[in-house]
Amino acid sequence: AAAAAAVAPPAEAPNDQAAIDLALSVAASLQKQCLAMQAEFITEDGHGVDYPALAQSDLFAAYVKSTAELAAVQPNLLPRDEKIAFFLNIYNALTIHVLATHANGAETAMQIPRFWQRFAYVIGGHAYSLDDMEHGILRANRPHPATKTHCLGKDDPKLAVALADSDVDPRIHFALVCGAKSCPPIRVYSPKNLERGLKAAAANFCSSEVTIAGHTVHLSKIFQWYASDFGKTKKEQLTHILQYLDEEKKAQLSALLQEDKFQVEYADYDWSINKK
């Protein structure tokens, strides 16, 4: 499994600020390495990864070694924006890590047994799988769209790390990459550029994944799977999406919503691995 090796805890527990500084330092170091790998092995548009070359590279070997530092991080102490940027980057990095080392000819991530549950990084002494990061932490432990259950049980210590429900930002769905061709492009986020980065990610994703023909609004499956993150009803969800659209599409969709005459169709999702 792509789990980081455990490291010995410090002799004395650091104070909160020291722990926060350590977490930010580790996050910044891994972010820098992810940016280097992105420049070398990921296409400019963020949609393709040269996994074989990445797996054989010194950059990747150094990154894998560095993930051991995550064991000393206390993510529960991170402020909201730092926590979101941290887990977006770690989620995407773990996805790339697993696909570079465990794909073994698989054409989709779903062909890798328990892809979202089996592989994990040890962060602060606890193993975080892809499901833990997305649904447990970034979605405030809201029910998984497939299983309708909570990823983190009521006694799971990782609950102390989870975002508050009011802090959940649905734009994470335009930033998390599960390794499929229909996923958003791979980007690296920092606390300072988080708002700008998520705003750009939303606009970029919706420019290609939201189309309108007559009274029919065509959406990515992501909007179906995570419908409740965008609103309680289809009208609420489409109203939420308005803010991410260019002026032309915004005017089209606004008119449909005002007339209350629209239907929604969801595009097929291409699960093929995002190989370069």
Side-chain angles (χ1 to χ4, degrees):
V7 297
E12 295 181 12
N15 62 41
D16 283 3
Q17 189 54 52
I20 291 171
D21 290 343
L22 173 64
L24 294 176
S25 174
V26 171
S29 174
L30 292 174
Q31 177 197 18
K32 186 176 179 180
Q33 292 179 77
C34 287
L35 283 169
M37 290 190 292
Q38 180 183 36
E40 188 77 20
F41 302 106
I42 300 175
T43 56
E44 191 173 340
D45 66 3
H47 280 291
V49 183
D50 188 344
Y51 289 108
L54 172 65
Q56 298 300 318
S57 71
D58 291 339
L59 277 175
F60 183 65
Y63 166 77
V64 172
K65 185 176 180 180
S66 295
T67 60
E69 297 172 14
L70 289 167
V73 169
Q74 296 183 49
N76 58 303
L77 298 177
L78 290 172
R80 175 189 180 274
D81 285 2
E82 282 78 358
K83 187 180 290 183
I84 291 175
F86 177 82
F87 277 105
L88 286 177
N89 292 335
I90 296 301
Y91 180 101
N92 292 342
L94 178 55
T95 296
I96 292 171
H97 189 162
V98 175
L99 291 176
T101 56
H102 289 77
N104 297 325
E107 291 300 317
T108 73
M110 289 186 290
Q111 292 176 356
I112 301 173
R114 303 186 70 245
F115 178 81
W116 287 274
Q117 301 85 30
R118 173 182 162 202
F119 302 96
Y121 283 145
V122 174
I123 306 172
H126 303 292
Y128 287 77
S129 68
L130 293 169
D131 270 356
D132 290 340
M133 292 186 220
E134 179 177 8
H135 308 293
I137 308 305
L138 293 170
R139 297 185 63 240
N141 209 33
R142 293 176 181 178
H144 190 292
T147 64
K148 311 302 181 187
T149 60
H150 301 283
C151 284
L152 305 181
K154 61 183 178 66
D155 297 322
D156 195 314
K158 295 191 287 288
L159 274 177
V161 180
L163 290 175
D165 195 74
S166 59
D167 282 339
V168 173
D169 190 327
R171 295 177 299 177
I172 61 167
H173 298 303
F174 311 133
L176 292 169
V177 182
C178 66
K181 287 185 176 178
S182 283
C183 283
I186 299 166
R187 297 286 182 254
V188 179
Y189 297 87
S190 71
K192 288 183 179 179
N193 81 5
L194 183 65
E195 176 57 32
R196 185 171 68 251
L198 289 177
K199 185 176 181 180
N204 182 53
F205 185 78
C206 290
S207 68
S208 60
E209 298 296 336
V210 178
T211 58
I212 302 167
H215 288 83
T216 303
V217 184
H218 300 270
L219 301 175
S220 162
K221 280 277 191 185
I222 285 175
F223 291 109
Q224 182 179 33
W225 296 327
Y226 299 104
S228 62
D229 288 0
F230 295 95
K232 294 180 181 177
T233 65
K234 278 192 169 61
K235 190 166 187 177
E236 277 188 20
Q237 293 152 13
L238 292 175
T239 300
H240 183 100
I241 292 169
L242 276 174
Q243 64 189 299
Y244 309 138
L245 303 179
D246 60 40
E247 292 305 315
E248 182 180 352
K249 284 183 182 177
K250 187 181 293 184
Q252 285 180 286
L253 184 52
S254 294
L256 292 180
L257 291 171
Q258 282 183 340
E259 296 172 12
D260 208 17
K261 294 181 179 178
F262 61 85
Q263 61 182 18
V264 176
E265 292 185 2
Y266 299 99
D268 291 335
Y269 206 78
D270 186 351
W271 285 101
S272 304
I273 291 175
N274 56 345
K275 301 174 185 176
K276 185 174 179 179

